[in-house]
Amino acid sequence: MIEDKNQQRTPLSALGEFGLIEHLTQNFKIKQTSTIKGIGDDAAVLNFDNKRVVISTDLLVEGVHFDLSYAPLKHLGYKSVVVNLSDIYAMNAKATQITVSIAVSNRFPLEALEALYDGIETAASIYNVDVIGGDTTSSTSGLLISVTAIGEVEAEQEVYRSGAKPNDLLVVSGDLGAAYMGLQVLEREKEVYKVNPNNQPDLEPYTYIIERQLKPEARKDIPNLLSELGVKPSSMIDVSDGLSSEIIHICKQSDVGCDLYEEKIPLDPQVISTCEEFNIDSTTVALNGGEDYELLFTISQEDYPKIKANPNFTVIGYMKEAKEGLHLVTRADTRIPIKAQGWKNFTE
Ligand code: ADP
Ligand code: MG
């Protein structure tokens, strides 16, 4: 869609593996006191004193998780870091380091990897994490990116998916469904472009939802905010696969049920208008869309006064006994069971 055919193309073979690693990682700076040794030795060395260490990893595959015909490589680099940091924040932890591994085919010139690493560096700098290592190898077809994120948390502050109790309130940060609707717009424009490459799309009405798809942000601010408010969630998870599957994870692991109120689900006006345009139900999008990277958590009712005036949070339901089940309470006050939708990558 936005490919520039006149770009400079330096073949990766011109640098060799070590030259490439050196070139791509030359700008990374170490800022965390917990990083003793970063890139350049056989392994990185970290020191977390007596903190708990949390680790999470993700693998992104071209054609499965991203489509380079509309995802600029710089955004892709940024997003691959952010989606991992989101998992660290979901443990109520502070992210401190990442490693980045790539497998790349010779169809990519050096300039493409520079753009990818530009995005990685931007995210690392904004989220204040050190890039402390990785691996670089060739691939016979597409691009693969694996990021591992490391973080730290005081033992008494860590939050699992398993701590929700009946009567706890279910709370979500930000708004939902935007990344999915951004993807719908991008897919539509890709089809239009295939038919007529001279047709420049007007994406102005969709800026927020496209940004949520191509350049999502993780909620680094939420663990800090909760701690300032004196609230420790009883359970927490990040919204990567869609609200319904995250609620199911919390309920299963905590052995509780849940009532989710349709009218409470936070939606941006651009999501509502784009859903109308595409004739898609906005609740379905919030429940099953995914890639929101918001945090979904439960708190005890006692903590409600501490969060109720905060614009970052919306109470969307409450937890029940496991035997009551999991339900969406619709605007028409009917109760619909919440069902799993996961494993999208294998069924589509
Ligand atoms: P090894 O042969 O021990 O795997 P490498 O030559 O692959 O070592 O890596 C050398 C250094 O560069 C290591 O510190 C490694 O973590 C780092 N590194 C390799 N590839 C990447 C990458 N794609 N991004 C960031 N760091 C990397
Ligand atoms: Mg290696």
Side-chain angles (χ1 to χ4, degrees):
M1 198 148 91
I2 22 190
E3 218 175 335
D4 179 359
K5 299 279 189 258
N6 300 318
Q7 274 172 353
Q8 200 186 339
R9 294 177 65 89
T10 309
L12 294 180
S13 54
L15 286 98
E17 185 189 330
F18 299 129
L20 175 65
I21 295 172
E22 162 112 37
H23 182 80
L24 292 177
T25 60
Q26 60 190 347
N27 292 328
F28 293 136
K29 289 181 192 63
I30 298 300
K31 291 193 207 143
Q32 296 288 341
T33 49
S34 52
T35 310
I36 308 296
K37 176 83 194 167
I39 290 172
D41 214 305
D42 295 308
V45 180
L46 307 178
N47 178 4
F48 288 98
D49 293 318
N50 41 20
K51 297 252 179 65
R52 290 282 173 90
V53 179
V54 294
I55 300 193
S56 179
T57 197
D58 268 312
L59 176 62
L60 300 175
V61 178
E62 183 180 357
V64 179
H65 302 99
F66 57 89
D67 181 337
L68 289 174
S69 57
Y70 50 67
L73 279 153
K74 182 174 175 179
H75 288 65
L76 181 63
Y78 191 90
K79 182 171 176 175
S80 14
V81 173
V82 162
V83 303
N84 266 271
L85 299 182
S86 179
D87 285 317
I88 302 294
Y89 303 137
M91 302 302 289
N92 209 28
K94 173 189 151 195
T96 46
Q97 288 90 7
I98 56 169
T99 65
V100 179
S101 298
I102 53 171
V104 55
S105 74
N106 55 16
R107 118 176 120 85
F108 292 90
L110 176 65
E111 288 74 16
L113 294 189
E114 283 174 346
L116 182 77
Y117 268 73
D118 192 11
I120 291 170
E121 200 189 321
T122 304
S125 142
I126 289 176
Y127 286 87
N128 195 23
V129 294
D130 294 342
V131 183
I132 55 156
D135 202 15
T136 309
T137 184
S138 55
S139 128
T140 48
S141 54
L143 174 67
L144 288 86
I145 308 166
S146 176
V147 176
T148 297
I150 299 167
E152 59 178 43
V153 60
E154 301 286 349
E156 61 278 9
Q157 289 305 320
E158 61 187 6
V159 176
Y160 296 162
R161 296 174 177 182
S162 55
K165 300 271 175 302
N167 299 319
D168 280 357
L169 299 175
L170 181 66
V171 186
V172 71
S173 65
D175 56 72
L176 300 172
Y180 180 83
M181 289 317 294
L183 182 63
Q184 300 315 302
V185 170
L186 289 167
E187 295 273 6
R188 181 179 70 185
E189 296 311 327
K190 182 182 166 184
E191 293 310 312
V192 172
Y193 178 84
K194 273 190 201 158
V195 178
N196 180 4
N198 296 320
N199 189 358
Q200 276 303 317
D202 175 18
L203 298 177
E204 179 59 32
Y206 312 107
T207 43
Y208 176 68
I209 60 175
I210 288 176
E211 175 137 344
R212 292 277 280 176
Q213 168 59 224
L214 293 182
K215 191 173 166 287
E217 303 293 350
R219 297 307 304 257
K220 177 181 195 260
D221 55 325
I222 300 292
N224 293 334
L225 181 56
L226 288 170
S227 130
E228 278 165 24
L229 295 169
V231 176
K232 188 193 171 197
S234 49
S235 69
M236 184 148 66
I237 189 168
D238 72 322
V239 184
S240 51
D241 295 334
L243 186 59
S244 67
S245 73
E246 317 309 356
I247 289 177
I248 292 169
H249 283 308
I250 286 186
C251 287
K252 268 202 180 137
Q253 298 201 27
S254 301
D255 194 29
V256 292
C258 177
D259 269 2
L260 166 69
Y261 288 86
E262 181 179 26
E263 62 180 2
K264 301 288 186 197
I265 297 173
L267 301 170
D268 186 86
Q270 234 174 59
V271 170
I272 297 172
S273 60
T274 314
C275 281
E276 278 167 10
E277 185 187 335
F278 279 72
N279 205 5
I280 309 180
D281 175 45
S282 57
T283 302
T284 308
V285 167
L287 286 176
N288 304 320
E291 296 200 285
D292 298 302
Y293 302 108
E294 295 294 343
L295 292 176
L296 177 73
F297 56 95
T298 54
I299 60 170
S300 83
Q301 299 233 5
E302 277 164 36
D303 285 334
Y304 177 62
K306 300 181 191 164
I307 65 132
K308 75 170 183 202
N310 197 299
N312 286 288
F313 301 128
T314 311
V315 177
I316 55 175
Y318 63 95
M319 313 318 280
K320 306 182 89 173
E321 297 290 342
K323 63 176 182 334
E324 311 259 12
L326 284 64
H327 293 94
L328 174 73
V329 182
T330 67
R331 289 193 187 86
D333 209 24
T334 52
R335 298 168 58 81
I336 301 173
I338 296 174
K339 290 206 197 77
Q341 283 274 340
W343 301 106
K344 262 183 284 187
N345 295 331
F346 289 99
T347 53
E348 268 173 14

